[in-house]
Amino acid sequence: MSLSLYFPYGDSKILFTIHFSLYPLFFSMKIFLSGIRNGIPIALGYYAVAFSLGIIAGNVGLDAFMGFIASFFTRASAGEYAGYTLAGAQAAYIEVIGMSMIANLRYLLMSTALTQKFRPGTSLFKRIITSACITDEIFGISIAYKGYLAPRYTLGAFAISTPAWALGCTSGIIAGNILPANIVSALSAALYGMFIAIIIPPSKKDHNVGIAVCCSFALSGLCAILPIISEWSSGTRTILLTIIISAAAAIIRPVKTKEERKDE
C-alpha cells in the first residue's frame, strides 16, 4: 500500500510517496487480541479471588484507591495477603519487603524459564515488560503458546486480567464498608478457603508436600507460644519458617527429574 502527498512549491508541486504495509499491524493486533481472549477466564477468576483480598485489605485500613493501586502492581494473592496481614500488625517496612520477596520469588524462576520461549533477537525491553506481566496463570498460557512467544500475547492477557484483579480488590473494600459486620466476617473466611484449596491437591499428589504443610502448621503454632520466639513479630516468624521449612524439604526430599524417575 502507498500514500501519495502533494505539497505546493511555487508554481509546481512536490510529490512524496510513502510505501507501507498494514499486515504487521494487523498481525500484531491479532496476537494481542488472542491474549485478551485467553485471558478472559483468568480475569473472571481473578475478580472473585481479589474480592476476598479486598475484604482483608479493608479490615486493615486500606481505602478503595489504595487497594486498587496495591493490587494492580502486586497481582499475587499470597504476596498481597502477607502484605495486608503485616500491615495490619504494624510490621516494619523491611519485614513487608522481605515477606513479599519470599512469597513472590517463584516469579523470578518463571521469568527465567520464559526466556527460552522468546525468539532470538527479542529486545531486552520486551523481555523485561513481558516478565513484569507474569502471574501463575499468565505464565501457564504463555509457556503453552505454540512456537516462539510473542510478547504481545502476554501483554493481551495482562491487559484484561490485571484490571479485573485490581477492580476485584476495590469491590471487596467497598463491599466491606457497606455490608454488615457478620457478612464481612464470613467473606473474610473465603480467602482461607482459597488457600486450603491451593495446598490440598498438591499435598494429596505428593506426600512430601503434605508433610511440609503439616510441619508448617505445627511449627507456626509452636513458635507463637515459645519463649523469646513468641516475642518476635509475626512477619519475622513467617519469613524464617518459610526459609527453614522450604530449605529442609528441598534438602531432605528434593524434586526428582524425569530421568531419575525412569532409573527407579
Side-chain angles (χ1 to χ4, degrees):
M1 184 178 292
S2 61
L3 176 65
S4 298
L5 303 173
Y6 291 90
F7 295 93
Y9 183 74
D11 295 333
S12 60
K13 295 181 179 179
I14 299 177
L15 171 64
F16 287 94
T17 302
I18 303 174
H19 298 277
F20 61 93
S21 174
L22 294 178
Y23 177 75
L25 176 62
F26 288 142
F27 184 70
S28 299
M29 185 59 66
K30 181 180 178 181
I31 295 175
F32 182 77
L33 293 176
S34 175
I36 290 179
R37 183 181 65 250
N38 292 339
I40 289 176
I42 297 175
L44 295 175
Y46 276 4
Y47 184 89
V49 173
F51 186 91
S52 299
L53 276 172
I55 298 293
I56 302 294
N59 289 340
V60 300
L62 270 70
D63 59 30
F65 178 74
M66 293 168 64
F68 181 90
I69 296 298
S71 288
F72 190 90
F73 288 102
T74 305
R75 305 188 314 280
S77 55
E80 278 192 55
Y81 174 74
Y84 296 152
T85 302
L86 292 176
Q90 310 252 327
Y93 289 131
I94 190 65
E95 292 179 349
V96 177
I97 294 172
M99 191 65 239
S100 297
M101 289 181 63
I102 293 173
N104 298 322
L105 190 61
R106 65 189 185 279
Y107 297 126
L108 175 63
L109 303 177
M110 291 180 187
S111 299
T112 303
L114 208 58
T115 59
Q116 307 301 315
K117 287 284 292 182
F118 287 115
R119 183 182 299 277
T122 301
S123 68
L124 178 63
F125 176 76
K126 290 182 178 180
R127 293 171 184 266
I128 292 174
I129 293 298
T130 304
S131 64
C133 298
I134 291 300
T135 64
D136 297 305
E137 293 75 17
I138 292 179
F139 172 78
I141 64 173
S142 297
I143 206 71
Y145 188 84
K146 292 183 179 180
Y148 290 119
L149 174 64
R152 289 180 179 85
Y153 177 80
T154 303
L155 289 173
F158 167 86
I160 188 67
S161 62
T162 298
W165 179 269
L167 288 172
C169 184
T170 302
S171 300
I173 294 174
I174 294 173
N177 294 330
I178 298 174
L179 296 175
N182 57 344
I183 296 179
V184 172
S185 179
L187 290 173
S188 299
L191 191 63
Y192 300 102
M194 181 198 72
F195 283 124
I196 292 175
I198 291 174
I199 62 176
I200 292 299
S203 297
K204 292 175 63 178
K205 184 178 179 181
D206 189 340
H207 294 303
N208 295 321
V209 175
I211 293 172
V213 170
C214 292
C215 288
S216 67
F217 288 158
L219 290 176
S220 180
L222 186 63
C223 289
I225 60 176
L226 286 175
I228 300 177
I229 297 179
S230 61
E231 298 176 4
W232 298 351
S233 67
S234 59
T236 302
R237 294 199 303 267
T238 302
I239 292 172
L240 290 176
L241 284 174
T242 302
I243 295 174
I244 293 172
I245 295 174
S246 58
I251 294 172
I252 298 173
R253 293 291 185 181
V255 177
K256 296 181 179 179
T257 63
K258 292 182 179 179
E259 290 75 14
E260 289 175 337
R261 293 195 194 100
K262 290 180 181 178
D263 294 338
E264 292 181 349

